[in-house]
Amino acid sequence: MTITPPALSVFETLESEVRSYCRGWPAVFDRAQGARLTDEDGHTYLDFFAGAGSLNYGHNNPVLKRALIDYIERDGITHGLDMATTAKRAFLETFQNVILRPRDLPYKVMFPGPTGTNAVESALKLARKVKGRESVVSFTNAFHGMSLGSLAVTGNAFKRAGAGIPLVHGTPMPFDNYFDGQVPDFLWFERLLEDQGSGLNKPAAVIVETVQGEGGINVARAEWLRALQELCQRQDMLLIVDDIQMGCGRTGGFFSFEEAGITPDIVTLSKSISGYGLPMSLCLFKPELDIWEPGEHNGTFRGNNPAFVTAAAALDAYWADGQMEKQTLARGEQIEQTLLAICGEHDSARFRGRGLVWGLEFDDPARASAVCARAFELGLLLETSGPQSEVVKLLPPLTITHEELDEGLRTLARSVRETA
């Protein structure tokens, strides 16, 4: 199908120029269900973006929608600050029984605010409080959020520049394979730590994504992550895993670090933890790190009880029996086979990923945007990632059917051919 962009007058005249996703998808969306959205003119689109990873269970998932409607209809608490509520209790008990205990993870749970960057800010603040040190190490091409503390440990120059002030107390180190395997892992990092003349302040913590989503779908090897944990333990640094986009099953296991067999000191979750796209985030940490004073970190909207309801329903529906992980890995193999075929046809392309997050990169950085634009014309929502938007990012809902995934992958392959 060929889609004619609608008149977007009110969006163009009233809304800020900062808007971005809508520029690549010039449609006025009206309804959504599962892996599909429908615009006001009745055109349907297959969604390979899933709300930037906040809709792992699809749009308006019927199980979660029923739980939410029932809760609202009985006048359940909507806004609860950090008060004890039945909805919060149900979520905490479910999270403990379905997620934490089966994985032998002893974490305390903190509700730092509604968004991912709130969770990251609280993790950084806690690490500095525990260790009594200011410096935090992050990695090249990292993305951790848009508030100042999170930006200080983010790599993207464009996003960092938006701060308008110096971003301090963060030091970048090379991510896995940054030097294409030519330099031993952590050689530079360890040398700086051990050299009293290096100028590196002793870090309180290291923050890392196991798969860098916004940075270009850069996948850290399990052995690299294990070595990082060992380095942190030797050097008295806390290990923070930012699982905001890659957690909640995106890579297979509920936590993206499970495959590596590590236990981070602090973990941040957001995006799909509510399961329904409702704002919610968590900061998890080992019990001995819980040295907060009451009220030392708070937020007006950290008690989003409807999000607790849908989060508990998602855990019960999809994580009690282990089937979601198996399905995600199977769908990932389906994507990998298609990307192998695409790269076989186009020697300028290469791919990488895990579970249901994949990236397709081209020698010409502009090609990724062209592929996404053609895919939109054909009814498929795709986004780019990477510092130059050089990677086509595949992020479909975990609940997508085999047939829907095949349809989207065929559209992707066609879009690549037609932009060659």
Side-chain angles (χ1 to χ4, degrees):
M1 66 178 172
T2 300
I3 297 165
T4 303
L8 300 176
S9 58
V10 71
F11 305 107
E12 294 172 344
T13 60
L14 188 59
E15 191 178 359
S16 167
E17 291 297 321
V18 79
R19 65 194 189 281
S20 60
Y21 295 125
C22 58
R23 298 178 189 276
W25 303 328
V28 178
F29 296 102
D30 182 51
R31 303 184 311 281
Q33 208 287 316
R36 297 185 188 274
L37 294 92
T38 304
D39 69 19
E40 63 181 354
D41 296 322
H43 299 122
T44 61
Y45 305 79
L46 194 56
D47 186 2
F48 268 31
F49 189 57
S54 63
L55 294 166
N56 280 2
Y57 311 105
H59 296 267
N60 288 302
N61 181 289
V63 175
L64 312 190
K65 180 167 66 174
R66 184 71 265 160
L68 179 59
I69 290 172
D70 289 347
Y71 184 76
I72 293 171
E73 285 187 337
R74 73 169 184 81
D75 293 329
I77 299 292
T78 296
H79 181 277
L81 294 167
D82 68 357
M83 294 183 293
T85 66
T86 55
K88 182 194 280 189
R89 180 174 60 200
F91 166 72
L92 285 170
E93 290 175 347
T94 304
F95 190 66
Q96 183 176 50
N97 294 331
V98 176
I99 301 300
L100 296 181
R101 279 181 177 160
R103 292 161 178 79
D104 196 26
L105 295 172
Y107 294 134
K108 297 290 289 291
V109 178
M110 175 182 178
F111 298 93
T115 72
T117 198
N118 294 129
V120 170
E121 294 283 359
S122 67
L124 299 176
K125 185 188 289 187
L126 180 60
R128 288 168 171 141
K129 180 178 175 65
V130 168
K131 292 300 181 184
R133 302 192 290 266
E134 297 175 351
S135 177
V136 173
V137 164
S138 57
F139 291 96
T140 50
N141 290 312
F143 178 79
H144 296 291
M146 297 298 284
S147 52
L148 293 179
S150 301
L151 275 178
V153 290
T154 286
N156 187 285
F158 174 73
K159 293 181 171 64
R160 288 175 63 88
I165 62 171
L167 298 171
V168 297
H169 308 309
T171 304
M173 291 292 166
F175 191 70
D176 190 16
N177 204 39
Y178 188 72
F179 293 111
D180 300 319
Q182 300 302 306
V183 178
D185 295 339
F186 308 115
L187 175 66
W188 175 242
F189 192 2
E190 290 201 76
R191 183 71 57 83
L192 292 179
L193 286 169
E194 294 168 359
D195 183 359
Q196 296 300 306
S198 70
L200 175 66
N201 293 330
K202 179 78 171 183
V206 175
I207 185 168
V208 67
E209 303 155 274
T210 66
V211 180
Q212 294 181 327
E214 300 304 310
I217 317 302
N218 305 311
V219 182
R221 294 167 296 140
E223 55 266 35
W224 186 87
L225 292 167
R226 287 192 290 269
L228 177 61
Q229 177 176 257
E230 292 167 4
L231 175 60
C232 288
Q233 291 170 346
R234 288 198 312 273
Q235 295 288 345
D236 187 34
M237 302 179 297
L238 297 178
L239 177 60
I240 305 169
V241 168
D242 180 339
D243 234 4
I244 287 165
Q245 188 167 94
M246 299 303 155
C248 303
R250 176 54 58 181
T251 65
F254 185 85
F255 295 105
S256 70
F257 56 80
E258 291 180 48
E259 180 189 50
I262 64 174
T263 304
D265 298 293
I266 303 175
V267 180
T268 59
L269 289 174
S270 186
K271 290 194 182 286
S272 274
I273 186 60
S274 81
Y276 204 75
L278 299 175
M280 178 180 172
S281 75
L282 302 178
C283 185
L284 314 177
F285 39 82
K286 292 179 178 178
E288 61 269 24
L289 304 180
D290 193 10
I291 63 171
W292 292 115
E293 297 289 339
E296 190 174 7
H297 188 96
N298 57 26
T300 302
F301 294 102
R302 67 195 185 279
N304 185 355
N305 280 250
F308 300 158
V309 170
T310 55
L315 297 179
D316 274 332
Y318 294 104
W319 291 99
D321 60 6
Q323 291 305 305
M324 176 57 74
E325 181 174 354
K326 294 177 182 177
Q327 177 176 298
T328 296
L329 296 176
R331 298 283 190 270
E333 292 176 2
Q334 188 180 348
I335 293 177
E336 186 174 10
Q337 292 306 308
T338 296
L339 295 180
L340 273 169
I342 290 174
C343 292
E345 293 180 26
H346 306 270
D347 57 11
S348 64
R350 55 205 162 274
F351 70 93
R352 50 192 177 265
R354 277 178 59 195
L356 276 175
V357 53
W358 293 84
L360 179 63
E361 184 177 10
F362 301 93
D363 289 341
D364 177 7
R367 181 86 175 278
S369 294
V371 168
C372 291
R374 181 57 181 147
F376 174 77
E377 293 173 349
L378 297 171
L380 176 66
L381 300 186
L382 287 169
E383 249 297 339
T384 60
S385 70
Q388 297 178 285
S389 298
E390 73 276 17
V391 178
V392 175
K393 183 179 187 179
L394 282 67
L395 207 70
L398 306 186
T399 52
I400 194 168
T401 67
H402 182 280
E403 293 74 21
E404 288 170 331
L405 188 56
D406 183 64
E407 176 189 339
L409 292 171
R410 283 187 279 108
T411 301
L412 170 63
R414 178 180 170 184
S415 300
V416 173
R417 285 194 302 269
E418 294 182 359
T419 55

